[in-house]
């Protein structure tokens, strides 16, 4: 069995996909709108969400509040077609480069990041 | 005291910054290079890291492995000047729009996301 530093090197330099989940079996995934480069949302994936995303080409996540798999857009129709998946150095975070069928936020905003922190207060972004 | 749905509405629509930390006191932060819109890294922040980032204008995070505050670039010099902080709908994720003093990844890569998952294997991105 590889020791910790071998495993670290393998994760950072190897070509094997070895996702590193936290103690809840999750990793963070950032959704980028490939056309505009805008960050649309951040969510969590477990192995099942990763498998389903790869299998279908449509972004799936693990809902921490509901404790289950969900397909983004399953009720709204605003799905995210995943063009590619980027993996970070220690394989505990993913970037999903997507084509969005519509707004991504459940509030109706294009992106979940619709406010900016300034002077201790939140201000709507000019979009 | 506000009930859960009032709190949710306040978080989503209000102008108060009310970061929602997980059970470990952390939230996810995505670092974007404002010049190129590239995702540079993903890390975690606690209240202390947020305070320090706002106070200094330089990105600070909470290291999950070391269990303490760290300033990105404290040893390499490759700090991240934070131009603005975006907050998502439920205030459990932040986007830091940054100017990077140099490469961001500890491996020397510009971004920690230097590989792409394709056909079950990782491939270096053409950068």
């Amino acid at each position: 069995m590889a020791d910790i530093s071998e495993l670290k090197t393998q994760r950072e330099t190897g070509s094997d996909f070895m996702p590193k989940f936290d103690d809840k079996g999750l990793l963070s995934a950032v959704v980028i709108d490939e056309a505009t480069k805008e960050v649309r949302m951040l969510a969590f994936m477990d192995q099942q969400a990763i498998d389903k995303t790869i299998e279908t080409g449509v972004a799936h996540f693990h809902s921490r509040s509901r404790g289950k798999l969900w397909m983004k857009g399953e009720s709204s129709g605003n799905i995210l077609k995943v063009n590619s998946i980027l993996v970070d150095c220690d394989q505990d975070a993913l970037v999903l480069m997507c084509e969005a069928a519509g707004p991504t936020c459940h509030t109706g905003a294009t992106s979940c990041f619709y406010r900016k922190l300034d002077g201790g207060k939140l201000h709507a972004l000019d979009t």
Side-chain angles (χ1 to χ4, degrees), chain A:
Chain A
M1 204 178 122
D3 70 15
I4 288 176
S5 93
E6 275 172 22
L7 192 61
K8 187 174 182 292
T9 306
Q10 218 178 328
R11 273 219 166 85
E12 289 181 359
T13 62
S15 61
D16 287 337
F17 183 43
M18 307 161 66
K20 189 170 147 194
F21 299 107
D22 68 10
D23 54 4
K24 296 195 175 87
L26 301 175
L27 50 71
S28 309
V30 184
V31 171
I32 303 288
D33 177 339
E34 188 150 32
T36 63
K37 307 294 179 214
E38 183 185 32
V39 183
R40 287 288 188 111
M41 63 181 285
L42 187 142
F44 295 87
M45 295 175 94
D46 58 2
Q47 187 65 59
Q48 188 190 18
I50 293 174
D51 291 345
K52 204 75 186 167
T53 298
I54 292 170
E55 183 196 321
T56 62
V58 170
H60 286 71
F61 302 100
H62 177 86
S63 165
R64 294 188 298 177
S65 54
R66 289 172 288 157
K68 62 170 196 166
L69 184 78
W70 64 289
M71 182 181 84
K72 167 67 200 157
E74 61 192 5
S75 49
S76 66
N78 295 325
I79 62 161
L80 296 164
K81 184 175 166 291
V82 180
N83 290 343
S84 58
I85 299 176
L86 311 186
V87 183
D88 80 340
C89 46
D90 55 359
Q91 303 201 33
D92 67 354
L94 303 178
V95 167
L96 310 183
M97 301 299 289
C98 295
E99 274 172 59
T104 295
C105 189
H106 73 286
T107 61
T110 304
S111 164
C112 294
F113 296 90
Y114 51 82
R115 291 170 299 182
K116 185 174 170 168
L117 180 62
D118 200 6
K121 288 283 181 185
L122 302 181
H123 305 269
L125 285 176
D126 306 323
T127 48

